[in-house]
Amino acid sequence: MPAMSRGTSPEVALIGVYEISKILTAPRRLEVTLANVVNILSSMLQMRHGMICILDGEGDPDMVATTGWTPEMAGQIRARVPQKAIDQIVATQTPLVVQDMSADPLFEGHEDLFGSPDNATVSFIGVPIKAETQVMGTLSIDRVWDGTARFRFDEDVRFLSMVANLVGQTVRLHKLVASDRDRLIAQTHRLEKALKEEKTGPDKDPADTGAAAGPSMGIVGDSPLVKRLIATAQVVARSNSTVLLRGESGTGKELFARAIHELSPRKSKPFVKVNCAALPEAVLESELFGHEKGAFTGALSMRQGRFELAHGGTLFLDEIGEISPSFQAKLLRVLQEGEFERVGGNRTLKVDVRLVCATNKNLEEAVSKGEFRADLYYRIHVVPLILPPLRERPGDIPKLAKNFLDRFNKENKLDMMLSAPAIDVLRRCYFPGNVRELENCVRRTATLAHDHVITPHDFACDSGQCLSAMLWKGSAPRPTLPVPPAAPTALTPLSPVPLSPAPLAAAGPALAVADALPVTCPGTEACPAVPPRQSEKEQLLQAMERSGWVQAKAARLLNLSPRQIGYALRKHGIDIKRF
């Protein structure tokens, strides 16, 4: 577009507004967007320099974009802003036109920026950038006036005012988005802090938090598996070693992560948690590492990441097996060196963080498929703790159910109770969702119960409306508990050894899980449509009978190796029939 020597014509103004509106709606950093606006103006107006200056709350330049702007020169440009001229435009909220800048005291000290090498007269046009009635900054240009042409400044002022209005609305929208985001983050941190204080307050009754298994741990259960896990967690907590919590969904991995923090020397420092599966990669990087001001659209202020917030304390990365391979490389450097850079920054930061990770994914299989980096696997797989599913500790179900009912009573100011037959029903249920599903079942039943004493007829399975029965009807779920391979491979020489082994693990992990898998629903005797589950021995005998007592065939039926079948037969004292 040729430069106009006699002001801005209506046609040029219309095209300019159209081109600038396209730039303002593009998803870029705000500083880059504003610099592109200035570049468009330089192609449409006869001008030497252009400048957009966005002010902070104190009226000082917060963001400055000029013709040919680059991130490297941003600091130098901000120091050379003609502050007196900017202040006058902001104070009067009206355009400012100066025919000869060298003779005006507003530009004293800026001759090197606005001076002309051939001593020609340089003029200045500046307009306020407004959003409603608030002045957010200024838009200005300067041009050489040789005294022969008479520039129609009024047309240029009108055109620049239209552009400034568009810029003002864009800046206002960016600030609103950033403000809402910061407000939500701050609110989340306040709620997490209040919840933590409520759980660990001095006046809190340990029974209300379910801390029956240890002080301030909030873990309910007295089965040997749980006691062994708690004892291991107490030992692990004394060191700074990375812990990997493995187990099915709903087994309480976050609860154990918090318990490890509370039992560690870092308990007075922050406990910060992040669900890696809940955030896309770009957002996850900003959440963990933080970002600098202007790093991306909406980043109007510097923000610390979760690694910085957890400095001196513990960082809990839940669902770590779901992060992308590209982000795994970025995370590996932080774990190895303890240093990183914020998004959009170049200053290296060092942190002291104790890392606790959790996953229900088979990481060994993911490593063998190339979905998870082997070096990151060994970095986080320092101290593995395998949390048992609820079906392997049925003795804890009554205590857990009473604990959940007590919380329900306290929240709703009720006095409901579980009858002995009702507890027996819960004890015989499968609960594929583990502790989380048990809590759901207790709350739902307490909400719909007809009396203050819950009986077996109050449960959904009594009327054929069991949610788990509907969920698993017709198909058995695949186990989510991480299962080490039967024989070590090149990628998995350090297969995880459960520090709290399950009772059935000795017969082979797959068989142990298969023993508890429901056929049609997780039912109980109160659910008459469902036959009772087979024991491990019965399932093994059935497979051997179907295979004609050929161990290799039986292994294929149970998805086991022949070695595991032989071990299970010896364990249960089953003699091999010879034909």
Side-chain angles (χ1 to χ4, degrees):
M1 180 63 64
M4 302 298 295
S5 61
R6 297 188 57 81
T8 307
S9 66
E11 294 81 4
V12 173
L14 182 61
I15 295 174
V17 169
Y18 171 70
E19 294 295 333
I20 289 172
S21 64
K22 289 197 299 182
I23 291 175
L24 292 176
T25 55
R28 297 189 184 93
R29 288 176 52 185
L30 185 57
E31 285 181 313
V32 176
T33 298
L34 298 181
N36 289 339
V37 171
V38 179
N39 292 333
I40 286 291
L41 291 177
S42 67
S43 67
M44 310 191 73
L45 299 176
Q46 187 177 3
M47 53 180 277
R48 297 173 67 242
H49 305 104
M51 178 181 292
I52 294 179
C53 181
I54 305 300
L55 307 177
D56 58 18
E58 303 296 329
D60 298 323
D62 181 49
M63 187 180 300
V64 180
T66 63
T67 310
W69 176 91
T70 62
E72 292 75 17
M73 59 187 294
Q76 300 176 1
I77 294 175
R78 189 177 291 110
R80 302 174 68 184
V81 170
Q83 190 65 45
K84 294 181 181 179
I86 298 296
D87 291 343
Q88 179 168 323
I89 297 174
V90 173
T92 60
Q93 299 190 15
T94 57
L96 172 65
V97 178
V98 178
Q99 182 171 323
D100 186 0
M101 298 174 62
S102 62
D104 197 299
L106 292 176
F107 301 95
E108 183 179 357
H110 296 281
E111 292 81 2
D112 59 334
L113 181 62
F114 297 103
S116 177
D118 53 0
N119 295 322
T121 302
V122 180
S123 302
F124 175 87
I125 305 175
V127 297
I129 296 176
K130 296 182 181 180
E132 297 178 347
T133 60
Q134 179 186 4
V135 178
M136 310 181 71
T138 61
L139 166 61
S140 61
I141 65 171
D142 61 90
R143 57 157 61 115
V144 174
W145 178 52
D146 56 11
T148 59
R150 296 185 58 84
F151 293 107
R152 293 188 290 178
F153 291 119
D154 55 342
E155 294 181 1
D156 290 339
V157 169
R158 190 178 304 113
F159 173 62
L160 292 177
S161 296
M162 289 190 295
V163 175
N165 285 334
L166 294 176
V167 172
Q169 296 302 322
T170 301
V171 174
R172 176 174 176 270
L173 180 60
H174 277 74
K175 288 188 175 182
L176 286 176
V177 172
S179 176
D180 287 344
R181 185 172 183 272
D182 292 342
R183 178 180 56 80
L184 291 174
I185 292 174
Q187 183 179 6
T188 301
H189 290 167
R190 286 196 301 270
L191 292 175
E192 290 177 352
K193 183 178 180 181
L195 181 60
K196 179 179 179 180
E197 292 176 351
E198 180 183 356
K199 287 184 176 181
T200 61
D203 299 330
K204 196 71 175 177
D205 184 0
D208 294 336
T209 59
S216 302
M217 293 187 68
I219 300 172
V220 177
D222 53 8
S223 64
L225 288 175
V226 174
K227 288 182 177 179
R228 195 175 307 154
L229 263 179
I230 293 174
T232 304
Q234 291 172 337
V235 174
V236 172
R238 294 197 293 264
S239 69
N240 291 322
S241 299
T242 301
V243 178
L244 178 61
L245 300 171
R246 312 185 68 170
E248 299 177 10
S249 178
T251 51
K253 294 187 286 294
E254 181 180 337
L255 195 61
F256 270 91
R258 186 178 291 276
I260 291 173
H261 172 74
E262 293 294 335
L263 294 170
S264 72
R266 298 172 177 260
K267 62 182 180 180
S268 60
K269 299 296 183 179
F271 175 78
V272 181
K273 55 185 179 180
V274 180
N275 189 327
C276 299
L279 301 172
E281 180 177 341
V283 179
L284 181 61
E285 183 176 4
S286 174
E287 284 293 317
L288 288 179
F289 304 144
H291 61 255
E292 296 289 351
K293 179 180 178 181
F296 49 82
T297 300
L300 297 183
S301 61
M302 186 278 292
R303 178 174 175 269
Q304 291 183 326
R306 300 299 178 93
F307 271 99
E308 288 183 78
L309 295 175
H311 180 65
T314 304
L315 178 63
F316 175 51
L317 298 182
D318 197 7
E319 304 293 350
I320 194 173
E322 305 301 326
I323 60 178
S324 65
S326 61
F327 190 73
Q328 292 172 21
K330 301 176 183 178
L331 183 60
L332 181 64
R333 182 197 169 200
V334 185
L335 302 186
Q336 288 178 336
E337 309 296 337
E339 59 184 31
F340 62 94
E341 291 83 31
R342 298 192 189 105
V343 177
N346 52 19
R347 183 165 63 95
T348 300
L349 305 174
K350 294 189 71 69
V351 290
D352 174 24
V353 173
R354 201 275 178 80
L355 191 67
V356 178
C357 305
T359 183
N360 60 9
K361 189 173 183 178
N362 190 330
L363 292 184
E364 290 77 19
E365 181 180 349
V367 170
S368 64
K369 292 181 179 179
E371 299 172 355
F372 199 85
R373 294 176 62 103
D375 46 4
L376 180 59
Y377 168 81
Y378 293 122
R379 182 62 61 178
I380 66 175
H381 200 276
V382 180
V383 181
L385 292 180
I386 298 182
L387 276 62
L390 188 58
R391 60 180 174 271
E392 294 183 4
R393 51 186 186 110
D396 292 335
I397 291 180
K399 184 170 292 186
L400 285 166
K402 292 179 180 178
N403 180 269
F404 295 142
L405 186 60
D406 289 342
R407 296 184 188 179
F408 178 86
N409 287 336
K410 186 174 182 180
E411 294 171 4
N412 297 277
K413 296 181 174 57
L414 297 174
D415 187 23
M416 304 194 69
M417 300 172 56
L418 283 165
S419 64
I423 294 177
D424 291 337
V425 170
L426 291 176
R427 194 195 299 266
R428 294 192 298 269
C429 275
Y430 167 66
F431 294 120
N434 296 297
V435 179
R436 187 180 294 119
E437 185 182 354
L438 172 61
E439 180 179 11
N440 188 344
C441 177
V442 171
R443 286 180 173 272
R444 180 177 61 250
T445 304
T447 301
L448 300 176
H450 300 289
D451 198 359
H452 74 285
V453 178
I454 297 176
T455 66
H457 297 292
D458 292 319
F459 290 101
C461 53
D462 184 71
S463 57
Q465 297 179 349
C466 177
L467 298 180
S468 291
M470 300 176 186
L471 179 63
W472 303 115
K473 185 176 182 180
S475 64
R478 296 183 64 183
T480 56
L481 180 65
V483 180
T489 65
L491 287 176
T492 58
L494 298 178
S495 298
V497 178
L499 297 181
S500 55
L504 301 181
L511 181 61
V513 176
D515 171 62
L517 292 180
V519 179
T520 54
C521 96
T524 66
E525 292 180 2
C527 190
V530 181
R533 296 194 306 271
Q534 291 180 314
S535 66
E536 178 185 351
K537 184 176 181 179
E538 291 171 342
Q539 194 176 28
L540 185 60
L541 285 171
Q542 182 181 12
M544 294 296 292
E545 292 286 351
R546 289 177 57 191
S547 63
W549 289 87
V550 178
Q551 296 184 42
K553 292 182 180 180
R556 287 194 293 271
L557 290 176
L558 295 175
N559 195 24
L560 298 175
S561 67
R563 181 183 62 82
Q564 291 172 319
I565 283 289
Y567 187 94
L569 291 172
R570 291 193 300 272
K571 171 189 172 184
H572 293 287
I574 300 175
D575 296 329
I576 304 297
K577 293 184 179 181
R578 308 292 181 181
F579 296 96

